[in-house]
């Protein structure tokens, strides 16, 4: 569940190494935590509930009170508890971050049915009572819509056959410059190798864009190297990285939060004409493009403002110029 995957439709995905081939960072250094989420799924065939856990990532955006931002799809089928029907989740290994006495007090998020139809809703705000004994620097949300030259993408994901990780991993990536140009996603050379499969991939890609329902809502990175060739060794978000931060440096050399990992898209069908499918790795290790939901997008920003006005500690890099906020349904 922790990475929403599109492959001719929405599903829950599995993938390769955590921020694949990324570098390990202390969670405090990039203000990123691991969430452990409890879920419940009703099996109609057996008429009983099935319980399972998942891992997602989240960015610390405030300390007074402790406030996290993550992806709303992480809370699909989440178990609820208490009079306020709060999600059953916890911060994993909080002692590594110097966080004690943690208790979830507020949660702002849309139902998965809404998120799956409109990716601009794939954001959740979690507010905790907690004692923070370390010098964590909360991430301010950057409102600049300019596309950066370089992003740092972080998360606690883990890949095929990997053990769990105690610390987040990060990878520096160049964003895709123009999502309206499919050749920037899957270059022309691949069309020439297999025109039909390239057309299928383009149709799938267009379907993803329909889910956004708004322009400029998503940032994206792909797995193309400097020669515009697919390279499965390039760092990429994967299972468990949903909700993790997409960071950019400000003029003072400090990280600011630009987006969060929302979904990963794969062009699954193997082709003898596409050489990267001849690698001796599972098909599950071929995430092709990953999307980050921009937190400066008006729909997202209005939601964050509502959470801020309702008690969440969220700071922006400049005074937001926003339409009137609306209360989540």
């Amino acid at each position: 569940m922790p990475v929403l995957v599109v492959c001719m439709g929405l599903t829950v995905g599995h993938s390769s190494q955590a921020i694949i081939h990324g570098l390990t960072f202390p969670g405090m250094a990039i203000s990123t935590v691991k969430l452990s989420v409890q879920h419940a799924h009703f099996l109609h065939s057996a008429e009983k509930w099935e319980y399972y856990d998942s891992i997602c990532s989240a960015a610390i955006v405030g300390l007074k009170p402790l406030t996290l931002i993550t992806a709303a799809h992480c809370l699909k089928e989440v178990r609820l508890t208490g009079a306020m029907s709060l999600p059953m989740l916890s911060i994993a290994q909080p002692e590594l971050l110097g966080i004690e006495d943690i208790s979830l007090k507020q949660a702002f998020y849309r139902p998965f049915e809404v998120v799956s139809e409109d990716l601009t809703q794939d954001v959740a705000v979690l507010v905790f009572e907690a004692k923070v004994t370390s010098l964590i620097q909360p991430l301010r949300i950057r409102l600049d819509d300019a596309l950066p030259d370089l992003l740092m993408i972080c998360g606690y994901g883990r890949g095929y056959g990997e053990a769990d990780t105690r610390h987040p991993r990060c990878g520096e990536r160049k964003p895709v410059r123009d999502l309206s140009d499919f050749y920037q996603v899957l270059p022309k050379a691949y069309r020439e190798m297999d025109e039909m499969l390239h057309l299928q991939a383009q149709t799938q890609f267009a379907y993803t864009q329909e889910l956004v329902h708004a322009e400029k809502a998503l940032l994206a990175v792909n797995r193309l190297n400097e020669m515009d060739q697919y390279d499965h060794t390039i760092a990429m978000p994967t299972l468990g990285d949903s909700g993790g931060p997409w960071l950019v440096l400000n003029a003072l050399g400090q990280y600011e939060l630009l987006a969060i990992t929302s979904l990963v898209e794969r062009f699954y069908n193997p082709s003898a004409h596409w050489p990267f499918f001849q690698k001796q790795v599972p098909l599950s290790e071929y995430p092709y493009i990953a999307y980050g939901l921009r937190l400066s997008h008006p729909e997202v920003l209005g939601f964050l403002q509502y959470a801020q006005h309702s008690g969440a500690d969220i700071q922006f890099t400049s005074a937001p110029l926003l339409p009137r906020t609306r209360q989540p349904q």
Side-chain angles (χ1 to χ4, degrees):
M1 147 160 317
V3 170
L4 192 62
V5 177
V6 174
C7 186
M8 302 311 289
L10 288 175
T11 183
V12 169
H14 301 276
S15 185
S16 183
Q17 296 138 349
I19 296 289
I20 303 171
H21 304 296
L23 299 177
T24 300
F25 279 69
M28 283 181 54
I30 51 171
S31 306
T32 303
V33 305
K34 180 195 299 184
L35 293 177
S36 178
V37 187
Q38 299 181 40
H39 308 268
H41 174 71
F42 187 72
L43 295 171
H44 291 279
S45 59
E47 294 187 348
K48 67 176 183 179
W49 286 94
E50 178 183 54
Y51 300 99
Y52 62 99
D53 296 339
S54 75
I55 294 296
C56 270
S57 303
I60 300 174
V61 295
L63 300 179
K64 299 178 180 179
L66 178 64
T67 302
L68 309 181
I69 290 180
T70 189
H73 76 258
C74 291
L75 303 179
K76 177 186 178 182
E77 298 183 331
V78 67
R79 298 177 66 183
L80 303 175
T81 185
M84 297 179 62
S85 295
L86 292 172
M88 294 180 66
L89 53 82
S90 61
I91 297 174
Q93 299 175 313
E95 65 279 358
L96 296 178
L97 298 154
I99 304 175
E100 304 172 355
D101 304 326
I102 307 166
S103 176
L104 181 64
K105 293 302 180 184
Q106 292 178 290
F108 306 90
Y109 62 99
R110 308 278 187 182
F112 182 76
E113 293 75 15
V114 174
V115 174
S116 64
E117 295 294 330
D118 183 353
L119 294 179
T120 63
Q121 310 301 313
D122 193 18
V123 59
V125 177
L126 306 172
V127 181
F128 298 82
E129 280 188 3
K131 179 181 179 182
V132 181
T133 60
S134 59
L135 298 176
I136 296 174
Q137 182 64 44
L139 295 167
R140 293 166 63 89
I141 295 174
R142 185 164 184 155
L143 298 181
D144 186 3
D145 285 334
L147 192 64
D149 293 328
L150 201 63
L151 294 161
M152 176 81 87
I153 303 176
C154 302
Y156 284 84
R158 57 177 174 174
Y160 185 80
E162 277 195 326
D164 200 359
T165 175
R166 289 167 55 87
H167 301 284
R169 298 179 192 177
C170 302
E172 285 190 334
R173 301 301 315 284
K174 294 180 180 179
V176 176
R177 305 305 300 185
D178 183 6
L179 282 174
S180 66
D181 179 7
F182 188 63
Y183 284 143
Q184 289 198 20
V185 178
L186 199 57
K188 186 177 181 180
Y190 291 110
R191 182 182 181 93
E192 294 170 350
M193 294 176 191
D194 192 327
E195 185 172 2
M196 183 57 69
L197 187 54
H198 192 279
L199 181 59
Q200 291 175 358
Q202 186 171 7
T203 301
Q204 175 184 324
F205 177 80
Y207 171 73
T208 303
Q209 304 311 305
E210 283 294 316
L211 290 177
V212 178
H213 291 311
E215 295 181 357
K216 299 181 179 179
L218 298 179
L219 294 173
V221 294
N222 59 25
R223 303 194 80 182
L224 298 179
N225 60 25
E226 295 296 328
M227 296 178 289
D228 275 346
Q229 297 172 339
Y230 181 91
D231 185 349
H232 76 281
T233 67
I234 293 176
M236 197 73 165
T238 185
L239 183 67
D241 291 319
S242 282
W246 292 41
L247 303 169
V248 63
L249 285 172
N250 63 19
L252 300 177
Q254 301 168 329
Y255 281 119
E256 294 178 352
L257 184 59
L258 193 63
I260 57 171
T261 299
S262 179
L263 66 89
V264 168
E265 188 168 17
R266 302 189 185 96
F267 306 128
Y268 251 115
N269 299 347
S271 169
H273 305 290
W274 285 4
F276 61 79
F277 277 115
Q278 298 172 18
K279 304 291 184 183
Q280 297 303 309
V281 293
L283 278 180
S284 61
E285 300 206 0
Y286 287 101
Y288 198 92
I289 187 167
Y291 295 95
L293 178 61
R294 280 183 179 266
L295 301 182
S296 62
H297 185 272
E299 284 285 329
V300 182
L301 200 46
F303 180 86
L304 295 177
Q305 272 201 319
Y306 170 77
Q308 181 190 49
H309 294 162
S310 301
D313 183 10
I314 301 174
Q315 303 299 320
F316 303 97
T317 55
S318 62
L321 301 175
L322 300 173
R324 183 175 58 86
T325 59
R326 66 185 186 188
Q327 183 171 342
Q329 300 298 315

